[in-house]
Amino acid sequence: MSSRPEFLAPPEIFYDDSEARKYTSSSRIVEIQARLSERALELLALPEDDVPRFLLDIGCGSGLSGETISENGHQWIGLDISASMLNVAVEREVEGDLLLGDMGQGLGFRAGVIDGAISISAVQWLCNADKSSHEPRLRLKAFFGSLYRCLSRGARAVFQVYPESIAQRELILRQALQAGFGGGLVVDYPHSTKKRKEFLVLTCGSVPTSINDGHKEGYSDDDDDDSEDEENGMVCVSDRNRPRKKQRTNKKGKGREWVMRKKEQSRRKGNDVPADSKYTARKRKSRF
């Protein structure tokens, strides 16, 4: 059985009271969350002018990543689908405001009110159909579309993700670009199986040619792959812009057979359809 939690149960069920407290009390998880949140804030590239920004923490859980935001002097609001996780966050007296909601149904914030957004290990949950009404593509579309609207112009959103496959990674990226975002993937330690971390870095509006220099911190490890990562900068960047929509063209056009078939289908539905004649589906002259 897979150890990925999104395969075991929906998030609001998997993270019950017991699992929420177990997750938050783990010193290892707390350390990992802090490190990933610091990296996400680094990629967010907020102006260094000592002005607090209003940030959105998507999938905030018990507020571990929100604490990193507070330590960096910013205000934040957290969204999560697990009531148990949010209850633990309230008990821990985190500084941010908390909202219970499903990001797959869209975000209900006013346009342009968010200065930046981060998410740690949450977006890949949208790729699973936990209910018969869930369609991953539509849920991702609703999420990224609403996020694009609530971000201020030029703001960034950084998502640390664990995609299951290449197809899942492409699905997430495609929906983000179609929503209007520019950007791409930043991969820390791309050649290391243990330390590899993927960050989807999106920009609302114009996109710079370079997303980030790379990770400055080094980690000691006996693995040769890890040492090569440190020598090569440890980061692989995939920079893409929003693709242009392709116009659907039909070179052959809609011939008589197609028109007759459509008329017959309409008749079977009980609709009033004009009678067939020798002029049906005949192409008119340009002078008509």
Side-chain angles (χ1 to χ4, degrees):
M1 181 179 294
S2 175
S3 60
R4 296 175 68 99
E6 58 265 31
F7 294 160
L8 303 178
E12 64 272 25
I13 297 177
F14 180 82
Y15 289 109
D16 55 12
D17 292 342
S18 174
E19 189 66 27
R21 297 185 185 281
K22 177 182 176 183
Y23 184 93
T24 310
S25 61
S26 172
S27 59
R28 175 177 172 274
I29 291 179
V30 171
E31 180 184 356
I32 293 175
Q33 282 278 343
R35 187 164 65 244
L36 293 176
S37 301
E38 285 286 356
R39 178 61 170 145
L41 286 176
E42 179 185 348
L43 293 171
L44 210 56
L46 296 171
E48 298 181 0
D49 52 8
D50 296 329
V51 176
R53 260 59 185 190
F54 185 51
L55 305 181
L56 174 62
D57 185 4
I58 303 165
C60 64
S62 56
L64 297 179
S65 51
E67 288 183 340
T68 302
I69 297 177
S70 298
E71 291 171 358
N72 282 266
H74 302 292
Q75 304 295 324
W76 61 279
I77 184 170
L79 174 73
D80 203 277
I81 196 173
S82 170
S84 298
M85 277 289 200
L86 295 180
N87 288 335
V88 175
V90 172
E91 292 176 3
R92 299 177 65 243
E93 298 182 350
V94 297
E95 297 183 13
D97 295 324
L98 304 172
L99 289 177
L100 176 65
D102 180 7
M103 60 181 173
Q105 295 182 354
L107 308 175
F109 299 102
R110 289 187 303 172
V113 299
I114 305 296
D115 297 319
I118 69 169
S119 178
I120 307 299
S121 309
V123 175
Q124 69 269 6
W125 285 86
L126 293 179
C127 296
N128 298 304
D130 297 322
K131 300 178 181 178
S132 59
S133 60
H134 284 182
E135 169 58 43
R137 182 184 62 84
L138 296 180
R139 286 170 60 77
L140 285 166
K141 179 180 179 181
F143 168 65
F144 284 118
S146 59
L147 178 63
Y148 187 88
R149 290 189 293 271
C150 72
L151 287 174
S152 59
R153 186 71 174 176
R156 282 186 178 183
V158 178
F159 306 91
Q160 188 273 320
V161 294
Y162 289 111
E164 177 196 3
S165 61
I166 295 177
Q168 194 174 94
R169 181 186 299 111
E170 291 179 349
L171 175 63
I172 296 173
L173 182 58
R174 187 186 309 116
Q175 293 304 316
L177 297 179
Q178 289 180 357
F181 285 104
L185 285 173
V186 174
V187 183
D188 288 356
Y189 307 102
H191 304 295
S192 174
T193 56
K194 293 182 179 180
K195 296 180 180 178
R196 178 186 174 94
K197 294 293 184 294
E198 296 187 15
F199 295 85
L200 178 60
V201 183
L202 304 175
T203 303
C204 182
S206 59
V207 185
T209 56
S210 178
I211 293 182
N212 194 268
D213 297 344
H215 205 291
K216 303 301 182 183
E217 298 180 4
Y219 296 87
S220 60
D221 199 299
D222 296 330
D223 191 359
D224 293 338
D225 290 342
D226 294 344
S227 61
E228 290 179 5
D229 293 341
E230 295 175 1
E231 294 174 1
N232 296 333
M234 300 174 293
V235 173
C236 175
V237 179
S238 173
D239 189 9
R240 294 176 58 185
N241 293 322
R242 182 184 182 184
R244 293 182 179 179
K245 294 183 178 179
K246 296 181 179 179
Q247 297 294 332
R248 296 181 179 179
T249 57
N250 188 354
K251 296 181 180 179
K252 295 182 179 180
K254 299 176 180 178
R256 180 180 174 83
E257 293 182 1
W258 183 90
V259 174
M260 298 296 288
R261 185 170 64 254
K262 287 296 182 181
K263 292 180 70 174
E264 184 61 29
Q265 291 176 358
S266 185
R267 288 192 185 98
R268 287 198 294 266
K269 294 179 180 178
N271 298 330
D272 186 15
V273 181
D276 300 335
S277 69
K278 64 179 181 179
Y279 300 107
T280 300
R282 179 180 290 185
K283 185 177 181 181
R284 293 179 176 180
K285 295 181 180 180
S286 59
R287 297 178 299 161
F288 183 80

